[in-house]
Amino acid sequence: MTNSTSTPPSSPRAESAAPGRAGRREWTALGVLMLPLLLVSMDVSVLYFATPAISADLHPSGTQQLWIFDIYGFVLAGLLMTMGSLGDRIGRRKLLLMGAAAFGSASLLAAYANSAETLIAARAILGIGGATLMPSTMALLRTMFTDPGQRAKAIGLWSGVMTGGIALGSVMSGVLVEHFWWGSVFLVNLPAMLLLLLLGPVLLPESKNPEPGRFDWLSVPLSMAAVLPVIYGLKEIPSEGWHPLYIVSIAVGLLFAALFVQRQRTSASPLIPPALLKGRGFTPALVLNLVAALAMLGSAIFTTQYMQSVLGKGPLAAALWSLLPSVFIGFAGPVTTLLVQRGVHRGYVVAGGFAAMAAGFSMLAVLGTDSLWLVLGGAGVLACGMVAISSQLVDLAMSSAPVEQAGAASSLLETSTEFGGALGMAMLGSIGTAIYRHEMPAGAPAAARETLGDALVTAARLPGTSGASLLATAREAFTTGMNGAAIAGAILLALAAVGAALSLRKIEAADEK
């Protein structure tokens, strides 16, 4: 970390203002770190509008098309804990640069893929690179910004970029595909990764655990076997229902999770040190982060469908409209940091974030079938609440974790986000689907009673007013289901607000003694 009292004036590190405080070098390095973070978050949604062009060019089967979409997220989620621990051992900067090289190479391979198999392989390598980039950026923030106030500001920016990147990815995808070819959605990664590879060694400090112990290779497959089946089952349930296969998948994942936890307790050098979870505030931060991700990703499956299938917006138009709520995200992080620095207790700030998200869900709970501005307002309030929560919980978790375990700590936070998102899609998605099917009349075609998407296809085939009538009924039923899921989400978030206020305030009170 920068120490201006011991660094000669000619050194770049002399730009730091005071011992223990970050200077121009560290803030410039933060800007460099934002590049991979933005791209990794964008890659979650970057294929939304490229799919038709990919299908026309590569002719993937239905199964291959699903893998093109899902393999990135599955590999990323499965390797987060492994990569976080690996960064603590070999060095976070080294792992970050290795990940940047892999991400850039895979982007080039994906852009010029000449078969579905090649594109799937490239997306898998992108997931590996993403799994190295995400925990490394957070861990490096922990080592570069030791001053609590500066670290809070840096993490606030980190949270805003992370949240905004997902929305930006779909829009950029639509614009690029409209003016270029589908491979261009991957080529945009190359300049940023090249810049990171050039500036990273100069600006980013190296940091690692000085006594990491031996790497526990057995924990790697155990962690993947614990994460992947659970996330797979949870993601499939909203669209396919509570099929025995998905329930078994979740059960298998939970069994391996128990084996993974037992391994961490007995291993001499565990992948995730159990003592990490005993740090003051770390476990509450993990749980609350999971709930926030549950609400945010759970709401997204409704708002995107509502914009396109209920309001009838085209994909690109819907994505452009969806950018509007993102404007407020840029203000949420700095305002949250300012409140904490002005003396507002962190517990109350996080509780306020959950209350804001609950308010956003309450807006979605009263939507009609023609409520463009209300859905945009609800999404904006939800996003602002999420940034406020994320910035404070990340700061709390990383501050309570030892510096030498920053990589493992950040990987656990990211994994809780992945679990929360999958759980949100399963829980809220199932509520919305159940209400939709209940609201659809018994006389409607069987396919139309399954999902709104099926109803749109069925309605297009019906003659005269029959199709229009079915379409109106299906849109009303979907909106009612969305209202019901939003009510459930609002209740959950209200309870989370109370839990955050009590648990985090108790932690802060203990710290003040």
Side-chain angles (χ1 to χ4, degrees):
M1 197 56 215
T2 302
N3 189 333
S4 60
T5 60
S6 59
T7 308
S10 59
S11 170
R13 288 188 177 270
E15 293 174 348
S16 291
R21 287 183 60 82
R24 186 183 304 169
R25 179 190 181 98
E26 285 77 16
W27 288 107
T28 304
L30 175 63
V32 174
L33 284 178
M34 294 298 99
L35 293 174
L37 178 65
L38 179 65
L39 292 173
V40 170
S41 59
M42 283 171 55
D43 252 52
V44 174
S45 56
V46 77
L47 287 186
Y48 282 1
F49 299 125
T51 301
I54 292 174
S55 298
D57 191 13
L58 303 183
H59 307 290
S61 66
T63 301
Q64 287 175 330
Q65 184 166 303
L66 288 175
W67 277 113
I68 289 171
F69 259 100
D70 293 338
I71 191 68
Y72 173 79
F74 284 149
V75 172
L76 187 149
L79 288 177
L80 278 171
M81 285 189 284
T82 297
M83 293 304 181
S85 180
L86 185 62
D88 288 340
R89 286 167 165 78
I90 69 171
R92 291 120 191 181
R93 185 182 68 184
K94 180 184 294 184
L95 185 66
L96 179 73
L97 297 178
M98 291 169 59
F103 203 86
S105 300
S107 297
L108 189 62
L109 177 63
Y112 293 101
N114 57 7
S115 68
E117 293 83 359
T118 302
L119 183 55
I120 291 170
R123 290 279 289 171
I125 300 172
L126 282 169
I128 296 173
T132 68
L133 296 172
M134 295 178 73
S136 295
T137 57
M138 194 188 300
L140 284 169
L141 286 186
R142 174 70 174 86
T143 58
M144 288 194 303
F145 296 92
T146 57
D147 177 76
Q150 289 187 320
R151 184 171 60 244
K153 291 180 181 178
I155 290 177
L157 292 171
W158 187 95
S159 301
V161 169
M162 188 69 187
T163 305
I166 297 176
L168 184 60
S170 60
V171 176
M172 180 174 288
S173 171
V175 173
L176 289 173
V177 171
E178 186 168 328
H179 293 89
F180 303 98
W181 97 109
W182 61 263
S184 61
V185 304
F186 297 107
L187 288 184
V188 294
N189 297 335
L190 297 182
M193 291 303 157
L194 181 60
L195 189 63
L196 176 59
L197 289 170
L198 291 175
L199 297 182
V202 178
L203 294 174
L204 299 175
E206 184 57 283
S207 64
K208 61 182 178 179
N209 188 342
E211 298 178 358
R214 297 180 62 184
F215 190 76
D216 185 14
W217 290 103
L218 181 58
S219 290
V220 175
L222 283 177
S223 67
M224 295 185 71
V227 172
L228 294 182
V230 175
I231 289 183
Y232 169 73
L234 291 174
K235 285 190 173 182
E236 292 298 319
I237 284 172
S239 58
E240 303 296 333
W242 293 87
H243 191 280
L245 172 63
Y246 307 132
I247 297 174
V248 170
S249 179
I250 294 173
V252 168
L254 293 176
L255 173 62
F256 277 104
L259 294 175
F260 176 75
V261 170
Q262 180 61 25
R263 177 67 182 178
Q264 305 317 294
R265 289 176 174 174
T266 57
S267 176
S269 54
L271 204 66
I272 302 295
L276 185 63
L277 298 175
K278 298 178 182 179
R280 189 183 300 277
F282 190 84
T283 298
L286 282 183
V287 174
L288 292 171
N289 184 64
L290 185 147
V291 174
L294 182 158
M296 193 67 196
L297 273 296
S299 69
I301 66 172
F302 288 102
T303 55
T304 53
Q305 287 187 75
Y306 180 86
M307 291 287 290
Q308 295 184 60
S309 300
V310 177
L311 296 181
K313 304 289 183 186
L316 183 55
L320 290 172
W321 276 108
S322 298
L323 270 184
L324 189 59
S326 303
V327 174
F328 301 101
I329 294 176
F331 299 98
V335 169
T336 302
T337 302
L338 182 62
L339 288 174
V340 173
Q341 291 178 343
R342 291 287 178 87
V344 180
H345 289 290
R346 190 197 305 269
Y348 297 151
V349 173
V350 174
F354 278 114
M357 294 190 76
F361 265 114
S362 299
M363 296 170 71
L364 301 183
V366 296
L367 285 177
T369 55
D370 188 20
S371 304
L372 172 62
W373 293 107
L374 191 57
V375 72
L376 292 176
V381 174
L382 271 164
C384 289
M386 180 66 186
V387 172
I389 293 167
S390 176
S391 62
Q392 294 307 305
L393 293 182
V394 169
D395 187 32
L396 173 63
M398 298 306 292
S399 300
S400 64
V403 176
E404 61 271 16
Q405 296 172 1
S410 60
S411 68
L412 275 180
L413 272 173
E414 294 297 338
T415 303
S416 75
T417 300
E418 296 292 330
F419 271 121
L423 186 59
M425 288 188 284
M427 187 183 81
L428 298 182
S430 296
I431 292 173
T433 300
I435 295 175
Y436 171 84
R437 292 171 179 171
H438 179 269
E439 291 294 314
M440 287 295 287
R449 294 199 303 271
E450 290 298 312
T451 66
L452 177 58
D454 291 330
L456 294 177
V457 174
T458 303
R461 296 172 179 169
L462 295 178
T465 59
S466 298
S469 176
L470 176 62
L471 186 58
T473 301
R475 285 172 169 168
E476 185 68 41
F478 176 85
T479 303
T480 303
M482 183 175 177
N483 297 154
I487 291 172
I491 293 172
L492 175 64
L493 289 165
L495 294 174
V498 175
L502 294 177
S503 62
L504 300 187
R505 185 67 188 95
K506 183 178 179 181
I507 292 170
E508 288 188 329
D511 289 339
E512 291 170 357
K513 291 182 180 180

